Amino acid sequence: MGKNYTKVYLTVLGLISVISLFIALKSSGNREEIEKLRKEVNLLREELTKKEEQLKKAVEEKEKLARKLKSIEEKIKKANKTLRRKGIKIKLPQGGLFIPADRKENLEFYASTLENSMEKLLKVMAEIPVGVPLYGRLTSRFGYRKDPFNGKLAFHAGIDLRAQPRQPVFATANGIVKFAGWSGGYGKLVIIKHKYGYETYYGHLFKIRVKKGQRVKAGTVIGYAGSTGRSTGVHLHYEIRRYGRLLNPLKYLYLNRYNAF
Ligand SMILES: [Zn+2]
């Protein structure tokens, strides 16, 4: 659009010059003719002013848009920083500095760079186990607690969520099933291996619905809640590990201050 206005501007400017020259040459000629030409010149001047105003408005609009895009870029950078604090490094496409508002192609390029960054972030988000594996009340937290069987202090490696019998259990991120079967105290257990070193554990299942080696998506039903293994009632035992280290799943259940993207 900017280019078009510039063209119009130059054309009108050229016309005025030609007409002015014509008037100068014919200054000794027909008065009526001169008056007519003057009127035309004035009309063209008005047109020019109008176009100039339109151009100014268009440039202002684009500057506004550029500022908005810049603020989106800042937010994307912030989200990336949050991920970096969690030890997840993603290289985002470079958006660049301020782009002159009258250059449409640049603004479009800028917007599509941001779109690509956003897509990349969304993809990464689907790989991180953030979310709820089962909708149920939290009945036991991560860390040291009294063992429900013998009352002694013991470390609880995950969280427990109370469940209805056979309530569906969801994978909390994309991944590959690493284990699906019986595992001592866990009863029927599913372990899913995710990107960035994450693993999630789903224990005491009544029934397993996935097989070892199977690819799952965030939200896939991997089984149904039960009370198999060392369990006192129907519930889901949920664990998150990263590079073998136990993490507190509570910090991964919701998009809270620890997980704000
Ligand atoms: Zn548990």
Side-chain angles (χ1 to χ4, degrees):
M1 242 202 330
K3 265 185 190 160
N4 283 345
Y5 281 121
T6 313
K7 228 169 160 183
V8 169
Y9 186 89
L10 289 174
T11 311
V12 174
L13 212 64
L15 263 172
I16 289 172
S17 313
V18 170
I19 292 163
S20 304
L21 190 70
F22 190 68
I23 291 168
L25 286 171
K26 285 276 249 169
S27 58
S28 55
N30 192 333
R31 274 188 176 273
E32 261 178 45
E33 191 77 6
I34 290 166
E35 204 47 48
K36 212 176 122 194
L37 284 168
R38 264 201 192 118
K39 268 183 190 158
E40 265 178 56
V41 169
N42 282 340
L43 257 158
L44 283 166
R45 277 207 180 114
E46 270 170 33
E47 188 76 6
L48 180 62
T49 315
K50 227 166 91 190
K51 291 283 176 205
E52 268 179 334
E53 268 166 20
Q54 279 175 359
L55 176 63
K56 209 177 134 204
K57 221 172 156 187
V59 169
E60 274 171 8
E61 285 291 315
K62 262 173 207 150
E63 271 168 1
K64 232 157 91 185
L65 186 59
R67 278 198 298 272
K68 266 268 180 296
L69 289 177
K70 189 87 204 154
S71 117
I72 292 171
E73 188 185 10
E74 292 308 319
K75 288 193 171 94
I76 289 172
K77 277 186 184 159
K78 211 171 147 194
N80 199 22
K81 225 170 130 188
T82 306
L83 287 174
R84 211 165 277 243
R85 272 205 303 271
K86 288 175 175 295
I88 295 151
K89 282 181 191 159
I90 345 171
K91 204 167 160 38
L92 294 177
Q94 286 298 304
L97 294 166
F98 186 75
I99 286 153
D102 59 339
R103 294 183 62 185
K104 190 192 174 194
E105 331 78 65
N106 274 358
L107 217 54
E108 254 175 26
F109 174 74
Y110 190 23
S112 69
T113 308
L114 296 183
E115 195 183 9
N116 289 341
S117 300
M118 209 54 226
E119 252 168 43
K120 234 177 167 179
L121 282 175
L122 285 173
K123 259 192 196 156
V124 172
M125 273 173 69
E127 308 294 344
I128 301 171
V130 169
V132 177
L134 172 137
Y135 299 105
R137 199 166 69 82
L138 180 78
T139 51
S140 183
R141 287 168 186 268
F142 173 82
Y144 284 97
R145 65 160 185 186
K146 268 190 184 168
D147 188 286
F149 282 92
N150 55 31
K152 282 183 185 164
L153 203 66
F155 190 78
H156 190 215
I159 55 164
D160 292 340
L161 297 167
R162 180 171 293 160
Q164 299 297 315
R166 305 185 194 189
Q167 197 180 328
V169 176
F170 309 104
T172 45
N174 299 344
I176 294 172
V177 177
K178 185 185 170 186
F179 179 88
W182 190 275
S183 176
Y186 284 108
K188 282 187 183 169
L189 171 75
V190 170
I191 303 173
I192 302 174
K193 198 173 153 46
H194 309 281
K195 270 192 185 167
Y196 308 109
Y198 284 106
E199 278 181 2
T200 47
Y201 286 53
Y202 310 81
H204 310 306
L205 298 174
F206 163 77
K207 196 183 169 190
I208 291 171
R209 233 180 74 163
V210 288
K211 286 194 170 73
K212 191 183 164 183
Q214 186 181 327
R215 270 182 191 282
V216 292
K217 290 212 170 255
T220 299
V221 174
I222 51 134
Y224 301 97
S227 189
T228 55
R230 201 167 179 270
S231 167
T232 50
V234 178
H235 76 281
L236 175 74
H237 172 87
Y238 178 58
E239 276 178 33
I240 304 181
R241 300 183 186 205
R242 186 154 188 235
Y243 298 118
R245 254 189 66 211
L246 284 164
L247 300 176
N248 185 355
L250 264 190
K251 292 186 175 181
Y252 283 82
L253 284 189
Y254 306 104
L255 291 174
N256 54 24
R257 67 193 164 100
Y258 303 105
N259 289 290
F261 283 103

